[in-house]
Amino acid sequence: MTTAASSRFAAFLDYGVAKTLAKLWVNLLARLPLRRESGVVTSRYGVRMRANWEDRTFRYCHYATYGRALSDYLAAQDRAFAFVDIGANQGLYSLLAAQNPHCRAAVAFEPVAATFVLLRDNIALNGLGATIKPVHAAVSLQSGIARIATDRAHSGTASLRDTGGAEGEEIRILGIAGVDTLIDGAPPLIVKIDVEGHEEAVIEALMASAHLGRIAAIFYEVDERWTDGAAIARRLGGAGFDCLTRFGIGRHYDMLAERSDAGPAPE
């Protein structure tokens, strides 16, 4: 088996089999009458979080069901960087980024009010308030107000894509000009995007950012039911992100876009 074939097979096992089975197991556990810790718990990713067992997204964070692709990537950074978390939810990846001593700053954007409270609590629980700046807003090209569809049973599915008839709330959207004012310093940026169908708009916003030249990597989610993954890849490729790595199979997967010519990180 070639190296490329081995990598594809490993990705299949990790995302196509292990991750799917892990989600099924966690969802099964939720139906069992188990005694669960209340208050504050430590996730298997190693961060402290406010217990929120009724939320499937929290359970996935707690049991490390999201896999290790991004968490390992953040832990492996050995030079100065800053982290931008667009669609931070309860803050898992901002917390993981900020635990790396090379992380100079993190900005976590979360628009849903109840989820933002948990994000802020989790930052405090881990003593990372000096590093992580929580922002109660979504990110897009232009600022404004919009309605977001929410699901209390799975907070990570909150979406601007289709709000017709769904439970939801009015949220603040911060345009890229406003976002840019929150991202200071000089280190390269690592950006995570998880916005349930609004990825293409967020990518366009980043392409218009005054900090585009600082962005070294973008980790984003693709669901081909509502996102054109090929169009995003072309757009990123045209902006110099010429190294694309796919994690997962089928129509729902994650992508890591990096620049092959990234220079040394300033301290």
Side-chain angles (χ1 to χ4, degrees):
M1 185 180 292
T2 65
T3 301
S6 296
S7 297
R8 286 194 297 271
F9 183 66
F12 170 77
L13 289 178
D14 184 26
Y15 270 66
V17 178
K19 192 173 179 181
T20 299
L21 291 176
K23 286 186 175 182
L24 291 173
W25 175 244
V26 169
N27 293 334
L28 174 62
L29 286 177
R31 296 186 174 93
L32 299 177
L34 303 175
R35 183 177 179 180
R36 297 181 173 90
E37 298 175 72
S38 59
V40 178
V41 298
T42 299
S43 162
R44 291 183 182 173
Y45 287 108
V47 297
R48 289 160 59 82
M49 301 185 75
R50 184 73 64 191
N52 184 25
W53 295 108
E54 298 303 312
D55 177 21
R56 185 183 300 182
T57 306
F58 166 78
R59 297 196 300 268
Y60 289 171
C61 291
H62 177 70
Y63 291 110
T65 312
Y66 288 114
R68 298 284 178 177
L70 181 53
S71 59
D72 286 352
Y73 183 80
L74 293 171
Q77 299 302 309
D78 59 2
R79 302 183 300 170
F81 72 98
F83 186 62
V84 180
D85 194 350
I86 301 175
N89 197 264
Q90 290 151 75
L92 173 65
Y93 290 109
S94 287
L95 299 174
L96 292 172
Q99 283 188 335
N100 186 323
H102 298 286
C103 182
R104 298 294 183 259
V107 183
F109 295 91
E110 173 51 47
V112 178
T115 310
F116 181 76
V117 170
L118 292 168
L119 166 65
R120 195 171 51 194
D121 284 353
N122 291 336
I123 293 170
L125 287 171
N126 289 273
L128 294 171
T131 303
I132 305 173
K133 179 186 299 181
V135 181
H136 188 195
V139 171
S140 196
L141 275 163
Q142 303 295 329
S143 296
I145 301 295
R147 184 170 179 81
I148 192 168
T150 60
D151 182 351
R152 284 175 290 182
H154 197 349
S155 63
T157 62
S159 175
L160 288 164
R161 186 184 66 257
D162 182 9
T163 60
E167 179 181 356
E169 63 186 72
E170 297 294 305
I171 63 163
R172 180 171 70 113
I173 296 179
L174 195 59
I176 192 59
V179 171
D180 280 350
T181 65
L182 300 171
I183 305 172
D184 52 16
L189 301 173
I190 298 174
V191 181
K192 186 220 84 181
I193 304 170
D194 188 353
V195 289
E196 301 299 310
H198 200 59
E199 286 80 8
E200 291 175 72
V202 173
I203 293 289
E204 281 302 317
L206 292 177
M207 297 302 98
S209 170
H211 299 286
L212 176 61
R214 286 178 57 198
I215 301 176
I218 303 174
F219 193 94
Y220 61 98
E221 182 183 62
V222 173
D223 190 316
E224 292 180 348
R225 289 174 294 178
W226 45 69
T227 302
D228 189 340
I232 291 177
R234 288 193 298 272
R235 186 72 175 97
L236 290 172
F241 296 90
D242 53 350
C243 294
L244 297 178
T245 304
R246 175 170 169 160
F247 301 94
I249 59 174
R251 64 185 182 182
H252 191 135
Y253 50 91
D254 294 322
M255 294 291 298
L256 175 64
E258 300 174 282
R259 300 180 189 271
S260 60
D261 60 350
E267 291 295 334

